[in-house]
Amino acid sequence: MPGTDVTDLLGFDHLLDDEERMIRKTVRSFVADKVRPHIREWFDQGISPRELAPEMGALGLLGMHLTGYGCTGSSAVAYGLACLELEAGDSGLRSFVSVQGSLSMFSIWKYGSEQQKREWLPRLAAGTAIGCFGLTEPDFGSNPAGMRTRAVRDGDDWVLTGTKMWITNGSVADVATVWARTEDGIRGFLVPRGTPGFAASDVPHKLSLRASTTSELTLDEVRLPADAMLPGAAGLSGPLGCLDEARFGIVWGALGAARDCLEATLDYAGTRVQFDRPISGFQLTQAKLADCALEYHKGLLLALHLGRLKDAGTLNPEQVSLGKLNNVREAIEIARTCRTILGGSGITLEYPVLRHANNLESVLTYEGTSEVHQLTIGRALTGVSAFK
Ligand code: TGC
Ligand code: FAD
C-alpha cells in the first residue's frame, strides 16, 4: 500500500463523528499556517510564540473542554484531537494549551469562587490573559506532598512564601495558581502578575521544549486578600485532580509528535538512495517503520478509548496513567527510531524528528514521570503503594 496515510491505516477516521473531524481539520490547518513556517526558528532561538494565544482563543482551543465563561464546551475526544494536532507542530504549543486550559483554567473552573471564575476565565479562554500552575518545587517534584511553600493568615490576608520550579508560562502569566501548605493542609491561591514579592525568572539553556517558557517562581512574603484562595480545593487531591486533565491531553498530544516524525521519515526514506535504491526498500527500514506505525495506531485506539470513557464520566486516574505511560513512552521510541532512519540528516532542525524527541524528554518527565505512572498502575494491580 505505497503512499498509505500513516495517520489512518486502521480507518480511525470512521470512529470519529463529524464535529470531531471538523475540529481536527481546523487545528491541523492552524498548525500548518501559523506554526510550521516558524517552528524551527522558535525552537532554535528559544522563542515562545505568545502572540498565538489570542488566535488559539479565537479558535476556542483554550479551556475547550470546559463549559461556560467563554469556554467552548467541546467533548474530551475533540480536546484530545486538538492536542494531537498541536503537538504535531511542537510539544511546546500543546504544553501552552495544556497549562492554560487544563491546569490554570481548570483549577479556577473546578475550585474557584464565582467571582474568581468571572474575573479570570473569559480572559483566559480568549487568550488575552495567560495562566500558569505552580505545584513543583526545587526539592519536591514527584512528591508534591512534601512542598515547603507556606501560606499563613495575617488578619484577613494570606502571606505566601516559597519557591516553585519548572513552571510552564511562569514569566508570561497574568495569573498563577500557586499551591501552598496552610494550617489546614494544601490549598490553592490565585496570584496576579505584579503582586509585590512575586517574581519569575526563566530556566536558561534548555535542550527540550525550547519553544515554551519554563520558569522559577519566587514568593517572598506575597500578601494576598482572603478571597485569593480557591475555596473548592482542600488537600493534595485539588492539584492532583487538575493533573488528570492535563495528563489526558498528553495521552493524545504525544501521538501528534510521533505522527509528525513518521510522516517526515516516510518522505525521507522514499527519496534517500543508498546502495542504488531508496532506503525505504530495505527490509530493516520497513521493519522499523512497521513497528512505529503499529505503536502509533495502538496508541490512538487507547487514546480514543480513554476519551470515550472521559466523555461518559467514568475515566479514573489509573486509566489516565496507563495512557500517559504508554503513549509518551512509545512516542519517544518512535521519534528515536525515526531519527536513525534519517541518519546524519536526523540530527539537525531541517527535519522535525530530533526536535520532537528532545521535546518528548520533558513530556516523559512532567505531569508524572514514567516511573510515577508505573507505580500508580502497580498500586492499582497489587493494592500496595510503593510511595508510602
Ligand atoms: P496521597 O497522599 O495518597 O493522596 C493525596 C490525595 O490525592 C488523591 N489523589 C488524586 N486525586 C485526583 N487525581 C489523582 N491522580 C490523584 N492521585 C491521588 C488521593 O486520593 C488523596 O485524596 P484524599 O481525599 O484521600 O486526601 O498521594 P498518592 O500516593 O495518591 O500520590 C502520590 C503520587 C506520586 C502519585 C502523586 O504525588 C503524583 O502524581 N506525583 C507526580 C507529581 C506531578 O505529576 N506533578 C506534575 C506537576 S504539573 C506539570 O508537570 C505541568 S507540565 C506542563 C504541561 O502539562 O504541559
Ligand atoms: P524527581 O521527582 O526528582 O525525579 C527524578 C527521578 O527519580 C525520576 O526518574 C523519577 O521517576 C524518579 N523517582 C522519584 N520518585 C520515585 C519513586 N518513588 N520511585 C521510583 N522512582 C522515583 N511543574 C509544575 O508544577 N507546573 C508546570 O507548569 C511544570 N512544567 C514543566 C515543564 C517542563 C519543561 C518540565 C521539565 C517540568 C515541568 N514541571 C512543572 C515539573 C514536573 O512536573 C517535574 O519535573 C516532575 O514532576 C518530576 O519532578 P522532578 O523533576 O523534581 O524529578
Side-chain angles (χ1 to χ4, degrees):
M1 297 188 291
T4 300
D5 180 357
V6 296
T7 64
D8 204 11
L9 284 176
L10 287 181
F12 181 78
D13 266 18
H14 300 297
L15 303 175
L16 304 177
D17 65 26
D18 287 345
E19 191 192 340
E20 290 161 351
R21 278 191 286 266
M22 195 267 291
I23 287 173
R24 183 180 59 173
K25 190 172 165 206
T26 303
V27 183
R28 200 179 286 196
S29 304
F30 168 76
V31 169
D33 294 347
K34 302 291 171 104
V35 179
R36 289 192 187 280
H38 312 291
I39 186 60
R40 280 191 285 186
E41 191 201 338
W42 291 338
F43 189 94
D44 195 34
Q45 308 288 318
I47 294 168
S48 319
R50 192 181 171 181
E51 68 278 9
L52 291 185
E55 295 189 45
M56 291 194 282
L59 286 176
L61 300 179
L62 304 177
M64 70 182 278
H65 61 309
L66 307 180
T67 50
Y69 308 96
C71 303
T72 315
S74 298
S75 70
V77 170
Y79 172 55
L81 289 163
C83 288
L84 189 153
E85 294 303 330
L86 291 167
E87 197 150 352
D90 192 77
S91 303
L93 197 66
R94 197 271 308 138
S95 273
F96 179 91
V97 168
S98 288
V99 169
Q100 180 89 349
S102 287
L103 296 179
S104 165
M105 291 175 70
F106 183 82
S107 65
I108 299 169
W109 183 84
K110 176 88 175 166
Y111 306 123
S113 66
E114 190 56 33
Q115 184 198 337
Q116 290 167 333
K117 292 179 196 185
R118 283 178 196 272
E119 180 177 359
W120 288 109
L121 290 178
R123 281 190 278 159
L124 291 164
T128 52
I130 292 175
C132 71
F133 182 90
L135 177 63
T136 306
E137 299 188 356
D139 293 332
F140 297 95
S142 297
N143 181 24
M147 70 173 66
R148 290 203 190 100
T149 299
R150 290 273 187 288
V152 293
R153 291 309 298 243
D154 183 22
D156 282 347
D157 291 348
W158 287 100
V159 179
L160 271 64
T161 301
T163 307
K164 297 290 176 182
M165 189 60 194
W166 303 113
I167 307 306
T168 302
N169 297 345
S171 66
V172 296
D174 298 286
V175 62
T177 298
V178 172
W179 300 94
R181 186 179 299 292
T182 73
E183 267 186 357
D184 300 327
I186 290 168
R187 309 294 301 237
F189 296 86
L190 296 184
V191 185
R193 176 208 280 278
T195 307
F198 179 49
S201 59
D202 289 344
V203 176
H205 311 309
K206 283 188 303 170
L207 299 173
S208 174
L209 279 185
R210 289 184 52 74
S212 167
T213 302
T214 313
S215 315
E216 179 180 41
L217 307 182
T218 52
L219 300 114
D220 182 10
E221 301 200 351
V222 171
R223 184 171 289 273
L224 298 170
D227 63 6
M229 190 179 77
L230 296 170
L236 198 58
S237 59
L240 293 182
C242 302
L243 300 188
D244 293 334
E245 298 297 307
R247 289 168 178 174
F248 172 78
I250 292 170
V251 171
W252 288 83
L255 296 173
R259 187 192 73 201
D260 201 48
C261 290
L262 260 170
E263 287 178 342
T265 303
L266 283 171
D267 273 358
Y268 184 87
T271 54
R272 173 71 178 169
V273 172
Q274 288 294 289
F275 300 97
D276 302 321
R277 56 193 294 210
I279 61 171
S280 59
F282 297 133
Q283 291 179 6
L284 290 175
T285 306
Q286 291 192 5
K288 287 179 187 177
L289 290 169
D291 286 348
C292 288
L294 178 67
E295 292 306 331
Y296 169 75
H297 285 88
K298 282 156 67 177
L300 268 187
L301 293 179
L302 175 57
L304 184 63
H305 174 63
L306 298 185
R308 299 287 184 228
L309 291 181
K310 187 162 167 54
D311 279 326
T314 60
L315 184 66
N316 67 45
E318 289 75 20
Q319 292 168 328
V320 178
S321 283
L322 275 169
K324 204 256 177 187
L325 174 63
N326 184 76
N327 286 9
V328 181
R329 193 162 66 180
E330 295 306 329
I332 199 168
E333 194 54 39
I334 289 170
R336 289 170 178 162
T337 302
C338 286
R339 213 291 306 152
T340 68
I341 296 174
L342 266 68
S345 299
I347 73 154
T348 76
L349 274 175
E350 187 181 349
Y351 297 92
V353 290
L354 196 57
R355 173 170 57 81
H356 284 307
N358 277 8
N359 284 339
L360 288 166
E361 292 289 347
S362 288
V363 182
L364 200 65
T365 289
Y366 68 35
E367 289 292 353
T369 64
S370 287
E371 293 77 14
V372 161
H373 292 296
Q374 284 177 313
L375 295 177
T376 300
I377 296 163
R379 179 171 60 184
L381 290 170
T382 64
V384 182
S385 173
F387 301 118
K388 307 283 187 232

